[in-house]
Amino acid sequence: MAGDLVVGMLYNLLLPLLLLTASSFRYNGLSVVYFLFLLILPLLPNPSLVTMRGQTGHFLRLIICTSLTFLTLQSFMQIPFSYIPPDVSGHWEDVLYHLGIVRFSSVDPGNVVRLLAPDIGLLFSSLFVLRLCNKRLHSSDISLIVSWVWQEAETSETESEEGSDTEGSSFDSSDQTTVPVDSGPPQFVQKLIVFAAGLKLLLSAIMNTAGKVVVTVLLGLAGITLPSLTSGVYFGVFLGLVWWWVFSRSISMLLFSSLCVMMAIFSGGHLLALYLYQLPLSQQLVPPDDVYARVFGMTGVIRTNSSDRNILSLHPHVSWPDFINPLVLLLLYYTLIALLHKWVHITEEDAVDGEMCESPAESPDIPPSFSRVMCTSGDKQEPMILMTGNSWQEIHLNDLGSLLGGAGYTNCYPPPQYEDKDSPSHV
């Protein structure tokens, strides 16, 4: 329980914050890759022993390899930069600048740290998250196996003691083995785990009982935070849902989940467009004062100094809605994906339960008037008795045996036929 909780906090809370921080430290082609990782992260399943060998484990390794590649590329490109002067490189240095490869000899030490910090920090933090997730998952699995073994051992000892007591033999209490108790984590760690477990339970209860309401409220906030043509889509969907509920109409799960899928795609594309507009090349092509940029809600927050392109600053017209709007959109995107994951999981559980309720030995040749009584034997479920709605006297013994054998009931035998004076005779 504690291991799964720690892994969930690392993957669902720490890793998105790290990717968001790495995307905010610099704005170039390399940081766009990290922002794409931030959008892909909620689409993957949570870490487990199975998913860490599959998509989730491959995704964490991809982040590590990407950050290592970017760090190596920036360090390696300083070698040709030291031999090629800036006036000779020409336009190639501008292209490399927009991609994220910068000449460090023309940058002050503070900006060098800012440019390298996302790659270094994400490399070591992703490696730490990967190793800790694997360690916690394996340790929790081993602890479950050990506890099961101890339970089996205690059960067998209890049974042997009960059997020896019935035979009149007694055991000395000094011969009993004591299980060593491992010392738990520190008290503040236990309090933190309890707080995180309570918070997770609260959020899960809110998503289960009021998931549609949470999505509707977030759509309304995304529509009114920064009014524009794109935010009008969120506000229009919000008004449609509210008026639909005002007239006491219900929305089916299929319709609402389809709406959530469309809004997740739209919000993800909106977030990517907002981030791409913060790049210097995008603001050179479409200035922030352009009417089309303001109509579509493309607000320029980050400004690049024309004299020194490696220094970042803010536009003078920026206000607090410009900072809140991307955060609300990101929260809406993550909430939609989490809600869709939960609904898919519930649907799969219902499908599995429906398959388990069905009998494994069904055959179209069995008459509809027959019902089965299942008997569990070991790990298999075997049909043992076949009963009909009519009385046993109305069926011939040979016909009943042919029905049992034809339906695949190998462990079933026709009941013995008793002679009775009141029973009708069969010809």
Side-chain angles (χ1 to χ4, degrees), residues 127-142:
L127 187 61
F128 168 74
V129 170
L130 178 63
R131 291 179 62 88
L132 192 58
C133 286
N134 288 326
K135 182 179 178 181
R136 297 297 299 180
L137 288 173
H138 284 289
S139 62
S140 62
D141 185 57
I142 292 173

Side-chain angles (χ1 to χ4, degrees), residues 42-86:
L43 301 175
L44 300 175
N46 287 329
S48 64
L49 289 175
V50 177
T51 57
M52 288 303 291
R53 298 187 183 96
Q55 297 178 352
T56 305
H58 294 335
F59 178 72
L60 291 175
R61 294 182 186 92
L62 179 62
I63 295 177
I64 296 172
C65 295
T66 303
S67 57
L68 180 61
T69 302
F70 289 169
L71 182 62
T72 306
L73 183 62
Q74 292 202 58
S75 302
F76 175 77
M77 286 302 296
Q78 303 309 313
I79 300 176
F81 281 153
S82 61
Y83 291 98
I84 301 175

Side-chain angles (χ1 to χ4, degrees), residues 1-13 136-137 140 189-201:
M1 175 63 183
D4 296 337
L5 188 61
V6 172
V7 170
M9 290 178 61
L10 290 175
Y11 184 79
N12 296 316
L13 185 61
R136 297 297 299 180
L137 288 173
S140 62
V189 177
Q190 294 180 2
K191 291 182 179 180
L192 181 62
I193 292 175
V194 170
F195 173 76
L199 183 61
K200 179 183 177 182
L201 185 62

Side-chain angles (χ1 to χ4, degrees), residues 4 9 70 82 105 148 153 167 174 202 230 348 358 380 418:
D4 296 337
M9 290 178 61
F70 289 169
S82 61
S105 59
W148 178 78
E167 294 176 0
S174 61
L202 178 62
T230 51
E348 290 177 353
E358 296 179 358
K380 293 196 270 185
Y418 299 99

